[in-house]
Amino acid sequence: MTKTEIEQIIVETLRELQVASGDMECEISPVVVPLSALGFFDSLLAIETTLVLEERLGYSCGEDSIFKDKTTSQPLSISDVASRLAQKVAA
């Protein structure tokens, strides 16, 4: 699976969550950092979304949340998340 395909799956998943939350729709693209840019998206939802993405990608990440850097705890963009997942899925 390519980085672009993974980005699309992440964006689609976040759009579904945005609609379900009732939050005002905003543009969700690969440059968005969900934990800081999306009002409906918090650390608990990041964990739940990680589980949903594992199911959709058919891959276990082995992390609670793929939306933060494990070392620095800095929030990651959708593009960063997709890059990391593409490397792991390809390994």
Side-chain angles (χ1 to χ4, degrees):
M1 188 171 286
T2 68
K3 176 188 172 207
T4 303
E5 291 170 325
I6 294 171
E7 284 176 347
Q8 290 173 339
I9 292 169
I10 295 169
V11 168
E12 289 170 10
T13 302
L14 291 172
R15 284 189 182 135
E16 290 170 13
L17 293 168
Q18 185 178 42
V19 168
S21 75
D23 204 31
M24 280 185 31
E25 277 194 46
C26 64
E27 182 64 30
I28 300 176
S29 70
V31 297
V32 168
V33 178
L35 282 167
S36 56
L38 302 177
F40 68 92
F41 198 79
D42 59 15
S43 58
L44 179 58
L45 193 52
I47 293 169
E48 294 174 11
T49 305
T50 297
L51 295 173
V52 170
L53 290 170
E54 285 179 337
E55 184 177 310
R56 290 182 179 184
L57 296 171
Y59 175 77
S60 178
C61 304
E63 298 178 36
D64 288 340
S65 172
I66 56 174
F67 293 93
K68 284 199 296 186
D69 183 276
K70 194 165 52 171
T71 306
T72 66
S73 294
Q74 292 294 321
L76 300 171
S77 70
I78 292 169
S79 180
D80 292 336
V81 171
S83 291
R84 291 171 184 225
L85 287 175
Q87 289 173 1
K88 290 181 179 183
V89 170

